[in-house]
Amino acid sequence: GAVVSQHPSRVICKSGTSVKIECRSLDFQATTMFWYRQFPKQSLMLMATSNEGSKATYEQGVEKDKFLINHASLTLSTLTVTSAHPEDSSFYICSARGPGSLAYEQYFGPGTRLTVT
Amino acid sequence: AQTVTQSQPEMSVQEAETVTLSCTYDTSESDYYLFWYKQPPSRQMILVIRQEAYKQQNATENRFSVNFQKAAKSFSLKISDSQLGDAAMYFCAYTTPLVFGKGTRLSVIA
């Protein structure tokens, strides 16, 4: 149980375009989802926290107008990188907080590698 | 803000031997959770072990165990009988939303 999927696993886009990454909790309802960014050989940095039906809360230094997060249902959150530039190239990982007694634990998607050319 | 520090960027261990990865954290909370995650080359985050701060007993999961020292805010991971498949990045993390340390790259030597 507690499976999180991400789509796509890899995406290449041209500079100036937008790209959307989907994160789904497959077998549980995730009231809270998190988006992380990981540069090569570095740790995961929390970008934002989203609660179903509410606006996302962004970490300091994360541009909310560039990284649009929508958590429209209990099983789906999306991250849209708008007007992408090469410096946005990174590995993006979503995570969902478990329900009820599992609420202290986060389950991770497999990640999306974004390359902006 | 909570911080997590892993002071060992890289570690290596001989197959079948034991290795300990260090982690310290800073928090003003009294109740929280601590985790160790493994990230293999696939980059999928895998939960290795978790510790609830209100439990004094150290958590164990098969070959993995922790030494949790709440007063010292220390949370080390011990891997016994190391296997080649244990080679990966290991991240220490604090509660939710998870705050991660910088990670320790573990190599296992055959």
Side-chain angles (χ1 to χ4, degrees):
Chain A
V3 178
V4 176
S5 70
Q6 262 183 262
H7 178 80
S9 58
R10 288 174 171 254
V11 58
I12 301 173
C13 70
K14 292 187 175 181
S15 186
T17 63
S18 296
V19 61
K20 180 184 289 187
I21 302 170
E22 291 188 349
C23 175
R24 295 181 184 272
S25 55
L26 299 184
D27 51 4
F28 67 100
Q29 294 184 329
T31 54
T32 304
M33 289 186 171
F34 309 92
W35 287 94
Y36 291 84
R37 184 174 182 176
Q38 185 179 31
F39 288 109
K41 299 186 178 182
Q42 293 190 24
S43 186
L44 284 73
M45 297 300 296
L46 180 66
M47 298 175 66
T49 300
S50 71
N51 291 297
E52 185 263 340
S54 302
K55 288 185 177 180
T57 302
Y58 292 81
E59 295 298 302
Q60 191 172 9
V62 177
E63 299 175 62
K64 58 181 68 176
D65 293 332
K66 166 167 277 296
F67 299 101
L68 301 179
I69 293 171
N70 183 279
H71 192 164
S73 78
L74 287 172
T75 59
L76 173 65
S77 177
T78 59
L79 167 67
T80 301
V81 183
T82 63
S83 186
H85 291 285
E87 57 265 31
D88 298 324
S89 298
S90 189
F91 193 68
Y92 293 88
I93 305 175
C94 76
S95 177
R97 187 150 64 194
S101 61
L102 301 178
Y104 57 82
E105 195 159 329
Q106 290 181 215
Y107 301 91
F108 287 85
T112 297
R113 182 182 304 277
L114 170 63
T115 303
V116 184
T117 60
Chain B
Q2 291 82 8
T3 58
V4 178
T5 301
Q6 292 179 250
S7 58
Q8 305 154 314
E10 296 183 355
M11 293 280 286
S12 62
V13 62
Q14 290 284 138
E15 197 175 5
E17 296 295 311
T18 296
V19 64
T20 299
L21 308 184
S22 301
C23 173
T24 59
Y25 60 95
D26 187 27
T27 183
S28 58
E29 303 292 328
S30 59
D31 192 19
Y32 47 88
Y33 292 85
L34 294 164
F35 304 85
W36 278 97
Y37 279 88
K38 171 184 179 181
Q39 188 180 44
S42 68
R43 303 187 82 168
Q44 172 72 57
M45 297 294 283
I46 301 168
L47 177 64
V48 175
I49 199 165
R50 65 171 169 266
Q51 174 77 43
E52 296 153 83
Y54 66 88
K55 289 187 176 180
Q56 294 187 344
Q57 187 174 6
N58 289 323
T60 61
E61 287 287 342
N62 300 313
R63 298 183 294 107
F64 299 88
S65 62
V66 298
N67 183 2
F68 174 49
Q69 302 289 328
K70 190 173 184 179
K73 296 180 181 175
S74 170
F75 182 61
S76 60
L77 174 70
K78 185 171 80 170
I79 305 174
S80 304
D81 186 25
S82 296
Q83 300 175 0
L84 294 177
D86 294 334
M89 281 292 292
Y90 286 83
F91 293 99
C92 177
Y94 171 92
T95 205
T96 179
L98 290 172
V99 175
F100 290 91
K102 291 188 175 182
T104 297
R105 180 172 300 280
L106 178 66
S107 301
V108 181
I109 304 166

